[in-house]
Amino acid sequence: MYAKSCRIEIAQRVFDGFGTDDERDEVTWNAMIAGYTQSGQSVKAILVFREMLEAGLEPTSVTLASVLPACDPLGGGIFAGKQIHCFAVRRCLNTNVFVGTALVHMYSKCGEISTAEHVFAGMTDKSTVSYTTMISGLGQHGFGKKALSLFYSMREKGLKPDAVTFLAAISACNYSGLVDEGLALYRSMETFGIAATPQHHCCVVDMLGKAGRVEEAYDFVEELGGRRATLIPFGGSLLASCKTLGKQELAKLVTERLLCIEKKYGHAGYNVLLSHVFTAESNWSSAESLRKEMRLRGLRKVAGSSWIKVQDAALQNYPKNDHMYSMLHGVNYSSD
C-alpha cells in the first residue's frame, strides 16, 4: 500500500519492522521488490531480490515477473536480466507466461530484440499481453512488418487483441512508415468492439504528419468532433509536422485554434513550437512577441534529458570526450 502510494521509504521501514528473515515470507519480499520496481528504483529492486536469495527463500514466478522490469539499461542492466533469466531456466520458471512475457519486455527494452524473439518463440503458453509486448518491442526497433505479421498471427490463433495491442501495432506502423497499414488497423478496431482512445488518435495524427500527409491529419482531427478541445492532444504533433514540412498556412490555422486553448490551459510547448514556426518564415517580431508573453506569464517548457552509455564505460573514458565536452560547454541552455 505504501509503495503504491509513492511512499517507498515508509514501505521499507514497515518491511524492516518484520524482524528476522524467518518472519518474512515470499509474499512480503515480492511486495518490496515490486514496490522498488514500480517506483523506478531499479538497482534497489535487484538488491532486495539478491537479499531474498541470501535469506534462503525460493523466488516464485511472481518474484521474477516483479524484478525483471527493473533490469533496464540505466538500472540493473542487461547483465542482471540475463542472470535472472538463467535462474529462471534452472528453476523451470521460464515456461511461466508471466516470466516469459517479462523476459521479452526486458530484452526488448535493453535493445536485444533478437533474444526477445527467441524467448517469445520458446514460450509454450502465450497471452494477449505476451503478443502485445512482442509487437511493441518489434515496432520500437523498426520491424514494423514483423510486428504486423505477429498481430495477424495472434488473431489466427484465436487471441483477441485489446486496445493496448492495437496501440502497439499502430505505433509499429508509425515507427516504420507503414501509414496505410496503420490506418487500416485503426479502422478495424470497431470490428472488435474496441473504442479508440486519445492515445490511438495521437498515434494516427503523428503517423500521418511524419509521412507528410499533414492536411489529412488535420482533417482526421476535425472528424473527431470539430471542437476546440479536441485539438489539445494533437496540437504539438500537428504543429511540429507543419514546421518540418514548411506548411505555414496550415500551421497558422492550427495555431489560431491552439492559442485559444492555450490561454485557458497554459501549454508552454505550443508557444515554443509556434515561435519556431514564426522563426522559420523569418517573422522575427511575432516570434519575439510570443517569447516575451511567455516570460510575462511564467510559462516554461520542461527541458528534456538523456543518458549516453558507451561500451559500459563512463563518459570520461570515451576517446572523443574532449571534443564532446567542448561542444557541451558551448551549448546555450534555455527553456527550448
Side-chain angles (χ1 to χ4, degrees):
M1 181 273 292
Y2 280 119
K4 284 194 293 185
S5 301
C6 301
R7 304 298 297 273
I8 192 67
E9 296 83 4
I10 300 178
Q12 181 67 61
R13 288 204 296 270
V14 174
F15 178 81
D16 293 339
F18 270 89
T20 64
D21 290 334
D22 294 335
E23 296 175 303
R24 304 186 186 109
D25 60 9
E26 291 84 354
V27 178
T28 312
W29 285 94
N30 291 348
M32 196 67 251
I33 292 169
Y36 275 122
T37 300
Q38 292 165 6
S39 65
Q41 300 187 46
S42 303
V43 175
K44 287 191 175 181
I46 294 171
L47 287 174
V48 174
F49 174 73
R50 289 174 176 166
E51 289 173 8
M52 179 181 180
L53 293 176
E54 292 170 359
L57 279 85
E58 188 71 15
T60 64
S61 58
V62 176
T63 313
L64 300 189
S66 298
V67 71
L68 279 168
C71 301
D72 56 35
L74 297 178
I78 187 65
F79 299 109
K82 287 181 176 180
Q83 289 176 338
I84 295 171
H85 187 182
C86 291
F87 178 90
V89 172
R90 289 196 299 271
R91 299 298 195 280
C92 298
L93 293 173
N94 59 310
T95 57
N96 178 275
V97 64
F98 299 108
V99 175
T101 302
L103 284 168
V104 170
H105 176 66
M106 183 271 294
Y107 280 119
S108 298
K109 189 169 54 175
C110 291
E112 297 203 9
I113 192 64
S114 297
T115 309
E117 287 185 275
H118 178 73
V119 172
F120 180 81
M123 292 175 64
T124 55
D125 186 19
K126 300 183 181 78
S127 65
T128 299
V129 178
S130 306
Y131 273 93
T132 301
T133 303
M134 191 69 254
I135 290 169
S136 178
L138 287 168
Q140 290 171 4
H141 285 80
F143 297 105
K145 291 184 177 180
K146 275 189 175 183
L148 274 179
S149 176
L150 190 60
F151 175 84
Y152 292 118
S153 172
M154 169 187 177
R155 291 174 54 184
E156 291 171 1
K157 294 184 184 301
L159 286 172
K160 183 180 178 181
D162 58 17
V164 182
T165 311
F166 270 102
L167 183 60
I170 296 171
S171 296
C173 294
N174 185 10
Y175 289 128
S176 300
L178 304 173
V179 182
D180 293 330
E181 292 85 345
L183 289 173
L185 280 173
Y186 172 80
R187 293 177 185 130
S188 69
M189 291 178 64
E190 191 174 344
T191 307
F192 290 86
I194 299 173
T197 66
Q199 287 80 9
H200 296 94
H201 299 150
C202 283
C203 192
V204 171
V205 170
D206 189 53
M207 179 173 62
L208 289 169
K210 286 178 180 176
R213 295 159 64 169
V214 187
E215 291 85 357
E216 191 175 342
Y218 183 81
D219 292 340
F220 174 82
V221 175
E222 288 288 287
E223 291 172 4
L224 292 176
R227 301 181 306 275
R228 285 181 174 178
T230 307
L231 195 62
I232 293 176
F234 322 113
S237 180
L238 272 175
L239 261 184
S241 298
C242 290
K243 174 179 175 290
T244 302
L245 299 168
K247 303 283 186 178
Q248 306 297 348
E249 293 304 316
L250 184 57
K252 290 177 182 177
L253 181 61
V254 174
T255 297
E256 289 175 1
R257 297 183 62 183
L258 282 177
L259 285 180
C260 294
I261 301 168
E262 191 279 328
K263 290 184 184 300
K264 179 178 180 181
Y265 295 99
H267 292 292
Y270 294 156
N271 286 275
V272 173
L273 281 170
L274 177 56
S275 70
H276 290 167
V277 172
F278 286 143
T279 302
E281 58 182 11
S282 299
N283 189 348
W284 308 111
S285 60
S286 296
E288 178 56 30
S289 175
L290 191 61
R291 292 284 183 162
K292 184 177 180 180
E293 183 181 351
M294 284 181 65
R295 288 192 290 270
L296 290 173
R297 295 174 61 192
L299 293 178
R300 292 180 61 87
K301 184 175 179 290
V302 179
S305 61
S306 62
W307 289 90
I308 299 175
K309 189 175 182 181
V310 182
Q311 295 179 346
D312 302 317
L315 184 60
Q316 286 81 358
N317 296 326
Y318 186 54
K320 297 182 179 180
N321 64 333
D322 291 337
H323 179 60
M324 291 177 68
Y325 276 118
S326 65
M327 292 187 68
L328 285 172
H329 287 310
V331 172
N332 179 22
Y333 295 100
S334 68
S335 60
D336 293 351

